Amino acid sequence: MPPVRTATLSDLDALTTLLDGYRVFYQQQSDEAACRGFLQERLERGDAYLLVHDAGHGTDAFVQLYPVLSTVSLAPRWLLNDLFVAPPARGRGIGRALMQAAANLAHEHGVAALMLRTQTHNHAAKALYESLGWEKNEAFDTYLLSVPGSTS
């Protein structure tokens, strides 16, 4: 299994570049300064779990999880919000390793379920998730509301 570990502040430069690439993939404007600030806040507050892949040649992938609570199951769940492998590192099982490490970390913390969402046309990611046993939830629809005047 490729080397996966918990991110630290020393990973901030590499993570900034990766997060910016992730956001550009989702049609957002490149903004490394904002990415850096966002990541630094996550790492300092400890309000997210960030795992990175680092095979000794630099950090080339990450997964980020956010704890949430479910009032239906009366239990914690984690939102696997971000998974990104730098394009040159793709096809080597790194995404799979990060997904498995995320599931292992959730298990260690007593979290019974992980959830995620991805764009409907992200076929490569969906194939990975399904190969790892993730099941598409057909029972719920996702709705978004943009809040007027919000800064984000």
Side-chain angles (χ1 to χ4, degrees):
M1 172 182 280
V4 174
R5 60 176 174 74
T6 301
T8 67
L9 278 171
S10 66
D11 296 304
L12 193 54
D13 289 343
L15 276 169
T16 295
T17 301
L18 290 168
L19 180 59
D20 194 56
Y22 173 80
R23 293 183 70 251
V24 168
F25 175 82
Y26 281 105
Q27 292 83 44
Q28 301 300 303
Q29 289 284 21
S30 176
D31 188 342
E32 287 199 2
C35 288
R36 183 179 186 82
F38 181 84
L39 287 165
Q40 184 167 352
E41 190 172 348
R42 300 291 68 74
L43 291 166
E44 288 175 350
R45 286 186 181 188
D47 58 4
Y49 293 92
L50 265 158
L51 301 175
V52 295
H53 174 266
D54 185 345
H57 309 297
T59 302
D60 54 11
F62 76 97
V63 65
Q64 186 162 215
L65 304 124
Y66 295 104
V68 296
L69 298 173
S70 169
T71 51
V72 173
S73 66
L74 300 176
R77 293 182 178 179
W78 284 358
L79 173 64
L80 194 153
N81 201 66
D82 313 305
L83 171 68
F84 186 72
V85 178
R90 292 180 184 163
R92 299 190 314 207
I94 295 168
R96 178 174 298 276
L98 284 166
M99 294 290 291
Q100 290 171 327
N104 291 342
L105 185 64
H107 177 76
E108 290 169 15
H109 284 264
V111 175
L114 293 174
M115 57 190 172
L116 63 79
R117 67 180 191 166
T118 193
Q119 288 183 326
T120 56
H121 66 272
N122 194 346
H123 302 293
K126 289 172 22 173
L128 171 63
Y129 306 149
E130 291 170 11
S131 76
L132 290 167
W134 288 70
E135 297 176 7
K136 186 176 179 183
N137 184 332
E138 301 285 349
F140 295 91
D141 290 327
T142 299
Y143 292 84
L144 298 174
L145 173 67
S146 295
V147 180
S150 175
T151 59
S152 48

